[in-house]
Amino acid sequence: MDPVALTRKDVLLRAWPLVFANAAIPLAGVVDTFVLGLSGDARDLGGVALGAALFNVIYWSFYFLRMGTTGLTAQADGTDDEIEVQRSLVRALLLAATLGLVVLLARGFVAAGGFAILQGAPDVEARGLDYFFARSWGAPGAFGVFVLTGWLIGLGRSTETLIVHAVISAVNIILDLWFVLGLGYGPGGVGAATAIAEWSGLIVGIIFVWRIIAARGGWQDHVLTRAALLDPDALKRMVDVNLNLMIRTWTLIIGFTWFTNAGARQGTAILAGNHVLIQVITVWAFVLDAFAFVAETEAGRAVGRKSVTALRTALRLSAEQALAAGAIFAVLTWAFGDEALTAIIDDVAARDAAIAYLPYCAIVPFLGAMAWIFDGIFIGATRGAMLRNAGIAAVAIYLMADFILSPLYANHGIWLAFLIFYIARAGALAIQYPALEKRIAA
């Protein structure tokens, strides 16, 4: 597809499968919360909140595997370089396997250090450890899924991406219900269900990728040679892109972990209530990321073809639809949030806390839309340094806002600072966008 010819219909048709694919990812987290809310108490919810916060430091630290693979694949596809399309996949899979093994070997040290920093009651932390150790077995599978879905998104294969995530979500939900409600495994059962689901998604993703490569003409000559895979220039570019994306991701991890820990200082009920609301935000964020993924693919192709016009079209059309969808989701959250929270949270104190701060949660889908779209544009363009700098600036602004607002307004201040974080993320990238166009034009 010529990126100059991109239309609103193209964006919509390619985004909607990704809407459901992305919604499937946090949906499993919502089910985690649901089953624990029905079977346990605020300590179980709080434990998973802390355990998930620690695991997410690992999980999202390596999300550059998805983002970098998408950008490099889209750019290679934009220049019709089938050999580099395949090499980008293999190099990233080798890196994912290595990092997954490292995580498994180091999980004990990570857990000891992480729970020494996180602030929770001893019985809450014990539940968090159960979740963390069970979940960590899925790390290699999760990292492999990052690469495979990144490659699929880079080629604009929305349907296959949807199926991979649907399988992960379905397996996770089924095992959640069995392990927690059926067998009573609690937070550890939630972590185990997620780990098994991630390995299931990896298997399905490999099948799709193999079929797509066969349909595109099969494996190209010299793709799998040691010299080609270890080409110094290609490796340098991959490391440079991924290192900057990792630093950028760390800024987000710092922001979200800070938010979780700030809630923990307010007590177990606030911690649990905030955790449930974050699951709601995560659903909307992943759904709206579907439009960002289209922006990633088109931005990568625009860079490959050195077309500023195509880049502007991708930004404009994806932003229009993301903002419209964000406004709809904000209204839905505001209108039906009370009833939904009452249905899924059995613990009275945690439920009251979540309902009290629901208005802040409701505005995030609209407020954060441009942050996600700009992320997609810069990721597709593989401008890791720009993303890194914007991330550092945004998290600095957020921490400053939290230091000022949380002592004055308690959890209201924590949420106000969190909203400022989204504004800062979009603003920091918007400032750098003209420079991005100049680089492509050059």
Side-chain angles (χ1 to χ4, degrees), residues 149-196:
T149 55
W151 191 80
L152 291 170
I153 292 167
L155 296 179
R157 305 299 293 244
S158 302
T159 301
E160 290 86 349
T161 306
L162 166 61
I163 295 173
V164 170
H165 287 307
V167 167
I168 293 173
S169 183
V171 172
N172 197 353
I173 290 170
I174 292 169
L175 293 180
D176 263 347
L177 296 172
W178 181 26
F179 289 171
V180 180
L181 296 183
L183 301 177
Y185 289 164
V190 169
T194 304
I196 295 171

Side-chain angles (χ1 to χ4, degrees), residues 36 41-53 115 118-121 123-125 127-128 187 260 264 267-273 275-276 350:
L36 287 174
D41 56 25
R43 291 173 297 176
D44 282 342
L45 286 169
V48 170
L50 292 181
F115 279 93
L118 294 171
Q119 300 174 20
D123 53 349
V124 174
E125 289 191 1
R127 289 165 168 80
T260 297
T268 300
I270 293 294
L271 170 64
H275 175 66
V276 174

Side-chain angles (χ1 to χ4, degrees), residues 55 58 100 103-104 107 131-140 191 195 199:
F55 188 83
I58 299 171
V103 168
L104 281 180
R107 61 185 185 148
Y131 172 87
F132 176 81
F133 279 113
R135 175 81 187 273
S136 63
W137 284 106
W199 282 106

